[in-house]
Amino acid sequence: MIQTDRPADRTADETLPTVREVMALDAVAHGVPEVLVGDEALDARVRWLHVSDSAGVARLLDGGELLLSTGSSWPAEPADLRRFIDELADAGLSGLVLELGTHYRYVPAVVVEAAASRRLALIVLHREVKFVTVTEAVHSRIITGQTDALRARDEVRERFTALVLRGSPADFIVYQVAQTLGAPILLENLGYEVVAAEVPLAMEEELFTDWELRSRSAHRRSEQRRERGAAAGADDWLIVPVEARGIRWGNLIALPGPEHAAGRMAVLEQGAIALAVGRLADGDADEWVRIGRRRLVDGLLAGRFAGVGGAAARLEAAGLPLRGAQLHGLVVSSAPVAAERADAAARALRGRALAGSAPTGVAPPAATMLVSLPPDAEFDDAAVVAFVRALVDAADLERVTVSVGRRAEGIDAALASVHEAVDLAGGRRRRAGRGPHLRRAENRPLVQLVAALRDDHRVLEHGERMLAPLIAHDLARSGDLLDVLEAMLAHPGNRTAAAGASHLSRSVFYQRIALIEELLGADLDDGETQTALHLALLVRRSAGR
């Protein structure tokens, strides 16, 4: 049984009409209503309409009622009138509608002052109305809204129950909540770090910049509304805790959006329940960290962001420091990677890390990472090896390859560092000795050049044009000329080692080399030709082809 404590606020049901909406009903409009105390007070929800002139009516209220009165039995003394209004407010009254003419010709100033000080909506009717007609209209509006809400809530409950039964991951549940509400939705952990988000790209920079401060402020406002029993306004964030069995993992947040028949809060609560059930099912595995951060890193690598400012803000909102930090792109390949341990491994170096999937062109198991470290932290070969040892099982260390991009500062350079690591990881592997095999971009000037020019169409076109005869041959005959060329360029001056890397006999390897030279019309022993072909292969691999 999953139980989540929520404030028992009867006025906060979004499916109930607000005082403002009740005033717009034809039956009420007939009385020529005038708002004396309004603004935020008009957003209070109306649970029921109560008609009474009694000075002791407050003790008969349960909260959320709209009181319709002529005031004929109200106290006469100003002090008693003020006390009467305070009692109504203390009882949780949503609003007070006073019909003028029967008893009062105008509203006493003390009533207006008391209502304003207690943020209690106060409306007067300048024309006589049939109270029974107003009562029927308001109650009909309330009952119709509640009936529609019940149907809509059943549909929403079924939808999210199905997600739970299918074992849908956290990011997909967040996506479904966003689709249901037609509004941006975010899932954050208890450290105010964004785990998953469905937010328009154009909003990212503004929304995620200084996210922790914005989130804390929204939480304070939400708590203040709860304490005074006020409903959320159109511009307020809705925040629901994700918790079960006394354990709280984070918060599900909805930004302003259109109304929903089931009530926006009810939809958000169903999403939070689905996330809580999924979190319980995960056991000790931190699925939130694994999926949320993997999606973020994969999106960055694929260029799924509107601008570098938004990408930087999104990374920092996920807990990865960028300002004043040294950043490194990494690819760990050839062994299973426990991606959820990436951040713990980086914390041992006084930093943070985000881990993604295997990049295009690198066969899994592999993971792409972005590591953030303090500017004075060492990330030399020994530190990299220590980092990797914390990521993979000891039995897998022997075959691990680690590709490290250059040290970077700022989001632009960080993305370039990630691409350098990916390009390094896609190359043919050369290794000797024991332990993780380490590649660093600063030792590979051609990789640096390709990473810098990866978006230049002229470089891409040149590489494709140079390799075109080999590509056509391999496609037509299911050949391996590109692989043979890569093996040869990985071992320049050592054809024996190149033949071994290509897994071909020496005689067959030399036949392939002769065919490549014939198709390209080039001498593969020429240093300039080797450099040009190596660059073309790197460009092709960098483009994921």
Side-chain angles (χ1 to χ4, degrees), residues 39-58:
D39 296 328
E40 182 182 306
L42 295 176
D43 293 325
R45 301 285 174 174
V46 178
R47 185 176 62 85
W48 208 244
L49 181 69
H50 193 78
V51 178
S52 176
D53 290 331
S54 171
V57 67

Side-chain angles (χ1 to χ4, degrees), residues 15-308:
T15 64
L16 295 172
T18 63
V19 176
R20 192 189 312 274
E21 291 170 338
V22 168
M23 291 304 100
L25 295 174
D26 290 341
V28 180
H30 182 74
V32 190
E34 179 186 359
V35 177
L36 300 185
V37 177
D39 296 328
E40 182 182 306
L42 295 176
D43 293 325
R45 301 285 174 174
V46 178
R47 185 176 62 85
W48 208 244
L49 181 69
H50 193 78
V51 178
S52 176
D53 290 331
S54 171
V57 67
R59 68 176 182 272
L60 303 176
L61 302 176
D62 288 331
E65 296 93 348
L66 181 66
L67 180 61
L68 180 58
S69 178
T70 65
S72 60
S73 298
W74 287 8
E77 294 299 320
D80 293 335
L81 267 178
R82 178 179 292 276
R83 188 179 306 109
F84 172 67
I85 297 299
D86 285 339
E87 289 174 351
L88 294 178
D90 290 340
L93 193 72
S94 294
L96 176 59
V97 181
L98 178 63
E99 183 186 75
L100 298 179
T102 303
H103 182 72
Y104 286 109
R105 299 190 62 174
Y106 59 89
V107 182
V110 67
V111 173
V112 179
E113 293 171 2
S117 67
R118 297 301 302 270
R119 296 188 181 90
L120 177 66
L122 175 60
I123 299 97
V124 295
L125 300 178
H126 291 281
R127 182 186 297 168
E128 185 180 47
V129 296
K130 290 182 179 181
F131 280 14
V132 66
T133 302
V134 174
T135 301
E136 288 176 348
V138 174
H139 289 177
S140 176
R141 168 65 177 81
I142 292 171
I143 293 172
T144 300
Q146 291 288 284
T147 302
D148 292 343
L150 287 173
R151 294 196 191 98
R153 285 173 180 172
D154 283 342
E155 293 175 359
V156 170
R157 189 179 301 110
E158 290 175 2
R159 181 182 310 166
F160 284 98
T161 298
L163 293 179
V164 171
L165 294 176
R166 289 198 297 266
S168 298
D171 58 338
F172 187 69
I173 293 175
V174 171
Y175 169 78
Q176 288 297 321
V177 176
Q179 291 295 303
T180 302
L181 288 179
I185 303 295
L186 304 98
L187 173 64
E188 66 175 13
N189 61 21
L190 295 181
Y192 300 99
E193 296 175 354
V194 176
V195 176
E198 285 296 330
V199 176
L201 293 178
M203 289 181 60
E204 286 192 341
E205 184 170 3
E206 179 182 358
L207 178 63
F208 291 124
T209 299
D210 297 324
W211 168 258
E212 183 175 345
L213 294 176
R214 293 170 63 88
S215 182
R216 287 182 182 273
S217 177
H219 278 269
R220 284 195 298 270
R221 292 195 299 271
S222 178
E223 181 64 20
Q224 290 167 357
R225 289 197 307 272
R226 187 192 68 81
E227 290 176 352
R228 66 173 186 264
D235 296 328
D236 290 323
W237 292 9
L238 298 182
I239 303 175
V240 173
V242 179
E243 57 187 0
R245 295 180 180 173
I247 303 174
R248 183 170 180 171
W249 295 287
N251 302 287
L252 190 60
I253 301 173
L255 272 58
E259 293 292 332
H260 191 279
R264 299 182 74 235
M265 183 63 78
V267 174
L268 203 62
E269 288 176 346
Q270 285 298 315
I273 291 172
L275 288 166
V277 173
R279 200 66 167 77
L280 286 175
D282 291 336
D284 295 332
D286 197 344
E287 185 257 7
W288 282 15
V289 171
R290 179 171 54 84
I291 289 183
R293 292 180 173 176
R294 182 182 67 196
R295 187 181 181 194
L296 180 57
V297 173
D298 294 352
L300 286 170
L301 194 58
R304 292 195 297 269
F305 53 89
V308 292

Side-chain angles (χ1 to χ4, degrees), residues 308-392:
V308 292
R314 179 70 178 87
L315 285 169
E316 292 203 319
L320 190 81
L322 295 181
R323 286 168 284 190
Q326 60 165 308
L327 306 165
H328 297 269
L330 269 79
V331 175
V332 179
S333 55
S334 301
V337 176
E340 63 272 15
R341 285 154 48 183
D343 198 43
R347 286 178 187 271
L349 300 174
R350 297 183 294 127
R352 301 293 301 274
L354 300 179
S357 306
T360 302
V362 178
T368 308
M369 300 183 191
L370 182 56
V371 179
S372 171
L373 299 172
D376 61 339
E378 289 290 337
F379 204 53
D380 55 14
D381 290 359
V384 173
V385 170
F387 177 77
V388 174
R389 286 182 183 275
L391 293 178
V392 302

